[in-house]
Amino acid sequence: MAMVSAPGSFYAICQQAGMSLGINGDPIVLNVEPTRFQREVARLIRHSPLGADCTESFLEGLQEYLEDAQNLKACLMPIAGSSHQGSSFALSESLIRMLLSIDIIQSGLMEALLDRILGYLNEGDSDSPAPKIILQQLKWLNNINEPAKLTAKLLEVISISPVSIQRDIIVALPEIVPDSEHKTIVDGLVELMESSTELLVAILDALSNLNLQADILINARNNVMDKLESAELDDLPVVIKFLLQTVELDTVGDVIGTLRQTLDFKSISRLQRSSKSMKKAVSQTPEVLILDALKTGIRFQKFVTDAWFKALVAIPKASDHKAIDVMVLFILHSIVSLKKKVEVLIRKKIIEGLLTKKLLEDTISVHGVSLREYMPSVLSISENLLRSSANHPIVIRAASSLYTSAFQVSDAYYRQEIVGSLLVHIGSGSNTEIDASLAVLQNIVDASRAALNEFNGFIKGLLDYLDNMSLEQIRLFFIVLGSLAREDEESGTSGTLLNELNITIRKQLSNPTETYKKVGVMGAIAMVQAFGAKEIAVNSRGGSSSQASASRNQAESDPLMKISILYLTMIKSSCHKSATCLSMTYDELANMVMSNILEPMLVLWIKEEFSDQFAGTFVGEDTEQFVLRPDRRIGIEHWLNLDGPDAMLSISIMPKLCEESSNAVSDSPLLDTPDAVICLCSLFKLMQATEKATGENGLDDIDGVLGCSISMFKREYLADIGSVYSMEICHTIGQGLLCAVNWFRELSNAFSDNASDQTMARIILRLKHILELEDMMRHVLKVIPGFKPLEASNIKAKDASTRNMASSSFTGGVAIQSSHGKGKGFTRGMHDDSSSLSRPLMITSNETVAYESLAPYLRELEMGVFHALRVHAPITRDAYSGVTDQEKVHLCYPELRYLLTDLLAKVTFKLPGPPVMTLFGKKAAAPVVNNSLLIRMSTIEFVKEILKIVSHIVTKTRMMLTLLYNDDTTDVNGEVVNQVTVQECLSISLKILLTLLSWNELKGSDQKELRLNLLKALAVDGKSEDEVKEIEGSINLSAVAVESFKNLAIWRQMMPTFESSATLLEILDKILSLVPRNPDTSHEASEFATRVLSERWSGSNAVKNDRLAYVIGQQIGKAATPLALIDEYVTGVLPSFLGDDDGIALLHPMLSQSTFTTYTKVLYIQLAVLVGEFTDDDFQDTEAALQHVMKLTQCFQDLAGYVKSNDKRDVLGVTLRHSKTFMEQFIKRVIPFLGVHFKGHQDAVAKIFRHHLQPATRSLQNVCGHAKASKEQSLMSMVPSIKKTMELLIFQVKLMLETNDARVAFWVGNLKHRNLAGEEISSQLPIESEDEPEPEVQASDEDDDMPEDRNSKCKKVDRKKKKARVPTPSTTNKRKKSGASSSTKSAAAGKKRKSSKTVQEEDDERIHTKSQISNSDMSEDEQDQLEGEEQEVEDVYDDHAIEEQEERAERRRRVRNPYIDDAAMSGDDEEEEDDEEEEEEEEEEEEEVGDDEEDEAMEDEEDEVMEDEDE
């Protein structure tokens, strides 16, 4: 139906232009091309008879048409083209879009459309999609006629619209408004942002796409940063992205700091869990989007990336590190170019205690789902940490936390990657990596056993590589597999893993080789632990015999317990003829029982089957008769009874070693071996462990064994044992003594836990007995060469070597070891199952065995034994007639030394100090001892045990110092003491305290409690009860440190030797290092060091230089004014000493000819430290800072000048080595400061360089010349580096002067070659002549350079011509050109150099390595003379001198080296044709002595001069 309308109306114009408008939502049809329609509409409006009213009429008609919602929808949708008359054209635009492209109606139409949006709001239909579609029509128009009007209208609509419409309009603004109106829009949006936080995201999105001026951008960014803390969780990603993408170089630090302080991911995670965002997909959670925004912003610009990295490096404290820092590190690690830097940074921060294990663990555990994108980075970092964890247990713990936490939050793919990575570490061959990886697997088993069980197929593949593991590693590995096998059984899966383990363990146990049998024992014991472990700890102990019987029956019927019992039965049947394997079994079972990890019913089963065998096997009566072997019949005697004559029981040691095998077998079917005495200590350990676990009275039921005697040989024959007994019996006696020592050590271990005074008295007596037995053992070892303990009797040499195991590193989970070397690492030896007692004795060596070498076969003293150190006063015990007349028992100094020595070995083994770099990776071999229990104890647990006895060690140390200071011959108990023994005890106790304080993890942020407890233990000695309570209740670390410092500093007056004083000083220094610097205590330490150095110590000649250097360093470093003390040494003490001043010897007795080098070295080091710490912020004004620098350089000048009066090689070496360090620090720290203040203090700066630094470098040049002339290899090796540093100094000074427009003050010349005394020497190596003295060629200082340069040039030409016939050492003074000058290259190529080059030209292109700063030290006459002589360089050598030198050199060459062909000296062209012959001559000439090479060098020089003259 046609629509009738007046001419000029909307309907008429559209119809005339070729468009058919629909009614009531009917589709609009365009019959012409869109561009033709637009032209026709514009033409009709412009040429309408209505004139300007036509436009208004058209717009009114359009508005009327749009009143109908259906019509509006049709106008906003793409219109259809007419198919009539075969027209075909594609249309994708709506009617409104086409009309907006007509300029004459554009402005009115835009206003009408925006008003229509407001109409929707008034009608309450704000949810309609029409406003968004209308805004879509306004985007990306080709032209906007009135942009200002449009902008104003948009801002008006925004101001009165609801939030939903506001958000849509704001987001569309960058696509609607032209660039010319961006400023107006930005101002409006910034104003709107200040008043409304709901529109923050939309405004930021718009601002990110608008052109912002600098001031507006800064204002907008500041507003955003202010609102960052209050922003909605869903808005944070956009906010962060805006901040990082609009940041500038000068403000990036502030933005990063704000983000670090504001983004609390813990709060974000809590809000995310509690909000509706949890319903979103994992990839769309706010935390994931925030991390993605951070990644995008960090990668957006390189300076942002660098700024983030620098910000993380600069975080000073562990408490300042947050989860966002760890996440950003993962993001940075994902950038390939930063991967290595991030790994190094993380490792460094972990070692320094800044990145704690807890922070890493919490970050991954809490935010693991969001970090899944960065799991490759987490895995790569973990691998790197584990691979580089040597000497740093804290790094191992951090890697373990990363692995364990990542495994818990990862999906199946990354879990498999983690398991594969750990298996790669286990197969790496590095014991540190193997131990750490096994411990990580154990931690994962404890945390996620079911999840790890999915990958048991990968893990069990390591069963084929058990030969590459130590026994301890095998134990950990089987524990992991056993736990997974238990998971299989409990979950009801296939159970194939248990079957495979069963086959492997049976195979190992049935192997006749002791080595593999032990592997089987370890595997079986691990399976017992896995299947016999209780899931929930049971604190109740004990029970009646009926309960025990019921529990035993229950154990045999329980499915899991039945598996454990099966493996124990397997061990019993397979190892009944191997005492070593049985002993290992008993020890492992005892450890598990004492750890309280086994089910009580299994413990009862073990007690009945194993522990109860002890009494019937080793305990006998005094009157018992033994059937001894015919070849070992010796008299039996009972020793060391503490229970009086009425005691009837005795421990059979020698009878078990000497009795008939049949008798041994019949007594105990379990120990079916003649060397069953090996099991004595281990079986007793198992018995006492089960007694403690199952009995109500602890060890009260078996305490009689502590005092019973031991059955040994008759002591009366001990003195002449070698002549009384055969060699075989002597060996048996040695075995018995060693077994007795182990027995008493194990007794002490068993009863020391919470021992009463009476029990402790018996333990002290047993310690005395141990010392007696050791003295006997040393005596017996002298007559039995090649002695071997039973455990090492028949083992191969490669299995005999025990392995050193590094300390445990983990605070939680299973502790690990670090072994060095390959082979089986159990500390007790391995041997074949055939006993040494069943065959004749074979002596394999005639060497006498030292008792100390038997340390690996001694039972380990447990930490409870050291509680004997708490005995400071005699203990009164019941005296038994006939046993002892002494009613009071106290810890004497021999026993104290014994305990302290063992404790020091444990502390040194367990607490590694800071790593020390050694040449070529060589490490000092640790003493081989039995530390099997210590290995399994974590470092933190060990330190906690040590802290229980530290206060007693301090008390013992004070008592020893008092005794030595008073020169008493008796102790407080009235017993005569040996002062040498007391001094040894003192030295050991101080070393224990020092080692404890030097533990490299003590300063870690996660060890604050241990630090505080350690300092408290050092501070409570000698205090009253009230003071002790006050100290123990304090939590102020600094206050407790000061108290402990003062408590130990009292000892300084009583120190008997220099070494003990130095150790005490080091202890005090370690205490001060645990807290912030305290000036008062530091000064006290310096005064103590001064007192040590001023004391005349006996045996001062034996003082080690490193200890003396340490004391001097403490004296200077801890002084209130270190530089003043250095100046005193440099200007007063050392010159007076070199001048033989007797007064100095009295004031400084430690200063001697042998220690002069040490003093000099320390002064250099302390000077370099002061220069390295220099900063102008430490001074009130610039003048004070310049005076400080001047004093530093003056001291450096004086120190360097001492080489003139003391030319020892050591002194020269120290001068070269440490002067380099001083100059490097001077270049880095001081020269920038001098450059800043040069213009204002020109005279002071010039004085520093001219009067102090330049003379010092001149002295260093003389030392270099001396090294060259004397051919000292150790000195010559330092010359290149020191010259390079001096050259760098020249460049830096020149740069400083050029920067300050003072280049004319800088002039570079060439120095003369002088020796230490300042005398001129030749630039060549000295030539020794036996034929005749050679006259020297005299030349002035300034003449030296040019002939040398000519000689160098000619020599290079001659060497190229002769094809290296005669190699000579490089002795000329080679020039180094600045900017790689072409003259050096042409000299190397043999080209001519112009001799007319002036000094001014050379100044611009080169700086000689022999040159020094000569800005004003040469007079004008000398400079003029130098210029003139260099211009006349061709007249230096006359013809007569050249001919004379040539003849003399040729004569020497012919006499000394007849192999050189005559033609080679003539300079003919024939030399170039005989290459092979000349190479043979070269090889022969290189074998000649240095004199020949020097003569040839001189002759080459003369030939070169002649050729240059010819040119």
Side-chain angles (χ1 to χ4, degrees), residues 631-632 634 653-654 657-658 677 712-713 721-722 725-739 777 779-790 792-793 836-837 839-849 854:
D631 56 344
R632 296 187 181 179
I634 60 176
I653 296 179
M654 288 303 298
L657 289 169
C658 300
V677 72
M712 299 293 289
F713 58 93
I721 187 172
Y725 295 116
S726 65
M727 186 59 64
E728 185 171 359
I729 293 179
C730 289
H731 272 266
T732 305
I733 289 174
Q735 303 287 359
L737 288 173
L738 183 61
C739 185
M777 187 68 184
H779 174 72
V780 173
L781 287 175
K782 295 178 182 178
V783 299
I784 47 174
F787 174 79
K788 285 186 178 180
L790 290 175
S793 298
S836 61
L837 297 178
R839 61 167 65 95
L841 176 67
M842 300 294 294
I843 299 176
T844 58
S845 174
N846 292 325
E847 295 182 1
T848 300
V849 177
L854 302 177

Side-chain angles (χ1 to χ4, degrees), residues 355-392:
L355 272 182
T356 62
K357 169 189 169 184
K358 186 177 185 303
L359 176 61
L360 295 173
E361 190 173 335
D362 292 346
T363 301
I364 297 179
S365 300
V366 177
H367 313 285
V369 177
S370 304
L371 287 172
R372 283 183 180 176
E373 179 184 350
Y374 306 99
M375 277 302 161
S377 294
V378 176
L379 186 58
S380 177
I381 291 170
S382 304
E383 291 176 351
N384 179 266
L385 291 176
L386 204 60
R387 193 175 297 113
S388 62
S389 58
N391 299 320
H392 293 291

Side-chain angles (χ1 to χ4, degrees), residues 173-175 177-187 189-190 205-217 220 242 246:
L173 283 177
E175 300 170 349
V177 179
D179 293 351
S180 60
E181 296 299 314
H182 278 191
K183 184 179 185 304
T184 305
I185 288 292
V186 169
D187 293 339
L189 291 180
V190 170
D205 193 7
L207 291 177
S208 300
N209 296 292
L210 295 173
N211 296 327
L212 304 180
Q213 297 180 359
D215 55 342
I216 298 177
L217 178 62
F242 171 79
T246 61

Side-chain angles (χ1 to χ4, degrees), residues 1077-1098:
R1077 181 180 175 87
N1078 187 320
D1080 296 335
T1081 53
S1082 297
H1083 298 165
E1084 287 188 38
S1086 177
E1087 292 174 0
F1088 178 31
T1090 303
R1091 178 186 174 278
V1092 173
L1093 293 173
S1094 61
E1095 186 79 19
R1096 285 192 174 275
W1097 303 99
S1098 59

Side-chain angles (χ1 to χ4, degrees), residues 1119-1332:
T1121 54
L1123 185 56
L1125 193 54
I1126 294 175
D1127 183 62
E1128 179 184 349
Y1129 269 111
V1130 172
T1131 60
V1133 177
L1134 297 186
S1136 300
F1137 170 76
L1138 295 175
D1140 297 332
D1141 187 350
D1142 296 336
I1144 292 297
L1146 295 175
L1147 296 176
H1148 300 273
M1150 300 304 297
L1151 180 58
S1152 63
Q1153 290 294 339
S1154 60
T1155 61
F1156 180 83
T1157 304
T1158 303
Y1159 274 81
T1160 307
K1161 175 181 176 181
V1162 176
L1163 292 175
Y1164 271 117
I1165 293 174
Q1166 292 299 322
L1167 266 181
V1169 170
L1170 290 178
V1171 175
E1173 295 174 350
F1174 174 80
T1175 173
D1176 55 344
D1177 296 336
D1178 296 336
F1179 302 93
Q1180 296 179 351
D1181 49 31
T1182 305
E1183 287 76 9
L1186 289 172
Q1187 287 297 324
H1188 182 78
V1189 174
M1190 190 173 299
K1191 182 65 69 175
L1192 285 172
T1193 53
Q1194 183 178 358
C1195 292
F1196 179 59
Q1197 173 194 355
D1198 294 339
L1199 275 176
Y1202 286 142
V1203 297
K1204 298 180 180 179
S1205 54
N1206 195 328
D1207 58 353
K1208 292 182 178 179
R1209 181 174 58 185
D1210 295 341
V1211 177
L1212 300 181
V1214 166
T1215 300
L1216 290 179
R1217 183 179 297 107
H1218 296 286
S1219 295
K1220 175 178 178 293
T1221 306
F1222 176 88
M1223 288 188 291
E1224 289 173 345
Q1225 294 295 329
F1226 190 87
I1227 293 170
K1228 182 179 179 181
R1229 293 283 186 176
V1230 180
I1231 287 186
F1233 164 76
L1234 297 179
V1236 172
H1237 300 284
F1238 178 80
K1239 292 184 178 179
H1241 304 82
Q1242 185 171 351
D1243 294 339
V1245 176
K1247 184 177 180 181
I1248 289 172
F1249 285 112
R1250 179 181 179 185
H1251 295 291
H1252 300 308
L1253 194 60
Q1254 182 170 304
T1257 55
R1258 290 281 179 87
S1259 298
L1260 295 178
Q1261 288 286 3
N1262 293 344
V1263 176
C1264 295
H1266 172 79
K1268 179 179 177 181
S1270 61
K1271 295 185 292 185
E1272 289 282 355
Q1273 292 297 327
S1274 60
L1275 297 180
M1276 291 180 67
S1277 63
M1278 305 177 195
V1279 170
S1281 60
I1282 188 71
K1283 284 188 175 181
K1284 181 179 179 181
T1285 305
M1286 287 192 288
E1287 183 178 347
L1288 180 61
L1289 178 63
I1290 293 173
F1291 275 109
Q1292 292 296 327
V1293 174
K1294 183 177 181 180
L1295 178 63
M1296 181 194 73
L1297 295 174
E1298 288 182 348
T1299 304
N1300 290 278
D1301 300 328
R1303 187 174 183 274
V1304 294
F1306 185 86
W1307 184 87
V1308 178
N1310 294 306
L1311 289 177
K1312 298 173 289 186
H1313 295 270
R1314 298 180 181 274
N1315 57 17
L1316 295 179
E1319 301 171 349
E1320 181 186 350
I1321 61 174
S1322 172
S1323 63
Q1324 302 293 327
L1325 286 174
I1327 300 175
E1328 299 177 2
S1329 176
E1330 298 178 1
D1331 298 338
E1332 56 181 296

Side-chain angles (χ1 to χ4, degrees), residues 18 20 28-32 79-91:
S20 300
I28 300 174
V29 179
L30 183 63
N31 301 313
V32 296
I79 61 178
S82 174
S83 59
H84 183 62
Q85 296 178 353
S87 60
S88 61
F89 50 86
L91 290 175

Side-chain angles (χ1 to χ4, degrees), residues 1236-1503:
V1236 172
H1237 300 284
F1238 178 80
K1239 292 184 178 179
H1241 304 82
Q1242 185 171 351
D1243 294 339
V1245 176
K1247 184 177 180 181
I1248 289 172
F1249 285 112
R1250 179 181 179 185
H1251 295 291
H1252 300 308
L1253 194 60
Q1254 182 170 304
T1257 55
R1258 290 281 179 87
S1259 298
L1260 295 178
Q1261 288 286 3
N1262 293 344
V1263 176
C1264 295
H1266 172 79
K1268 179 179 177 181
S1270 61
K1271 295 185 292 185
E1272 289 282 355
Q1273 292 297 327
S1274 60
L1275 297 180
M1276 291 180 67
S1277 63
M1278 305 177 195
V1279 170
S1281 60
I1282 188 71
K1283 284 188 175 181
K1284 181 179 179 181
T1285 305
M1286 287 192 288
E1287 183 178 347
L1288 180 61
L1289 178 63
I1290 293 173
F1291 275 109
Q1292 292 296 327
V1293 174
K1294 183 177 181 180
L1295 178 63
M1296 181 194 73
L1297 295 174
E1298 288 182 348
T1299 304
N1300 290 278
D1301 300 328
R1303 187 174 183 274
V1304 294
F1306 185 86
W1307 184 87
V1308 178
N1310 294 306
L1311 289 177
K1312 298 173 289 186
H1313 295 270
R1314 298 180 181 274
N1315 57 17
L1316 295 179
E1319 301 171 349
E1320 181 186 350
I1321 61 174
S1322 172
S1323 63
Q1324 302 293 327
L1325 286 174
I1327 300 175
E1328 299 177 2
S1329 176
E1330 298 178 1
D1331 298 338
E1332 56 181 296
E1334 182 177 348
E1336 298 180 357
V1337 179
Q1338 300 293 334
S1340 63
D1341 293 354
E1342 295 79 10
D1343 288 341
D1344 285 346
D1345 177 53
M1346 203 59 181
E1348 252 179 43
D1349 193 71
R1350 291 165 57 86
N1351 292 344
S1352 177
K1353 169 189 170 184
C1354 298
K1355 184 180 294 185
K1356 291 177 181 178
V1357 175
D1358 191 62
R1359 279 199 300 268
K1360 181 176 181 181
K1361 182 187 291 184
K1362 296 183 180 181
K1363 295 187 178 181
R1365 187 190 74 232
V1366 184
T1368 59
S1370 177
T1371 58
T1372 59
N1373 213 4
K1374 297 180 181 178
R1375 291 196 165 107
K1376 293 199 172 195
K1377 314 290 184 179
S1378 92
S1381 65
S1382 60
S1383 58
T1384 302
K1385 297 180 180 179
S1386 45
K1391 296 180 180 180
K1392 296 182 180 180
R1393 189 196 311 178
K1394 295 180 180 180
S1395 59
S1396 59
K1397 185 180 294 184
T1398 61
V1399 175
Q1400 289 79 5
E1401 292 172 339
E1402 291 185 354
D1403 268 350
D1404 294 336
E1405 69 179 6
R1406 67 174 178 82
I1407 294 182
H1408 197 286
T1409 56
K1410 291 286 186 178
S1411 302
Q1412 289 298 304
I1413 304 168
S1414 306
N1415 49 343
S1416 41
D1417 62 331
M1418 298 182 68
S1419 64
E1420 295 181 358
D1421 294 338
E1422 291 175 338
Q1423 296 181 16
D1424 294 340
Q1425 182 182 359
L1426 176 62
E1427 294 175 0
E1429 290 175 347
E1430 288 190 351
Q1431 292 172 357
E1432 300 175 358
V1433 69
E1434 294 182 358
D1435 298 331
V1436 173
Y1437 294 115
D1438 57 12
D1439 295 340
H1440 177 73
I1442 294 174
E1443 293 174 358
E1444 183 178 359
Q1445 292 177 3
E1446 179 181 351
E1447 292 173 0
R1448 185 167 56 253
E1450 182 178 356
R1451 183 168 59 254
R1452 285 197 303 272
R1453 177 179 295 230
R1454 291 180 180 277
V1455 171
R1456 296 194 178 193
N1457 200 340
Y1459 299 101
I1460 297 180
D1461 188 34
D1462 292 339
M1465 300 300 299
S1466 63
D1468 297 345
D1469 294 337
E1470 296 175 1
E1471 294 171 348
E1472 300 179 2
E1473 301 174 0
D1474 300 328
D1475 294 340
E1476 295 181 1
E1477 181 180 355
E1478 289 169 354
E1479 290 176 0
E1480 294 175 359
E1481 294 171 0
E1482 176 187 356
E1483 294 174 358
E1484 294 173 350
E1485 290 165 358
E1486 287 176 348
E1487 297 174 0
E1488 297 293 328
V1489 296
D1491 292 339
D1492 295 329
E1493 295 179 348
E1494 295 164 1
D1495 293 341
E1496 291 159 6
M1498 179 60 74
E1499 195 229 350
D1500 285 344
E1501 176 185 352
E1502 294 163 354
D1503 291 342

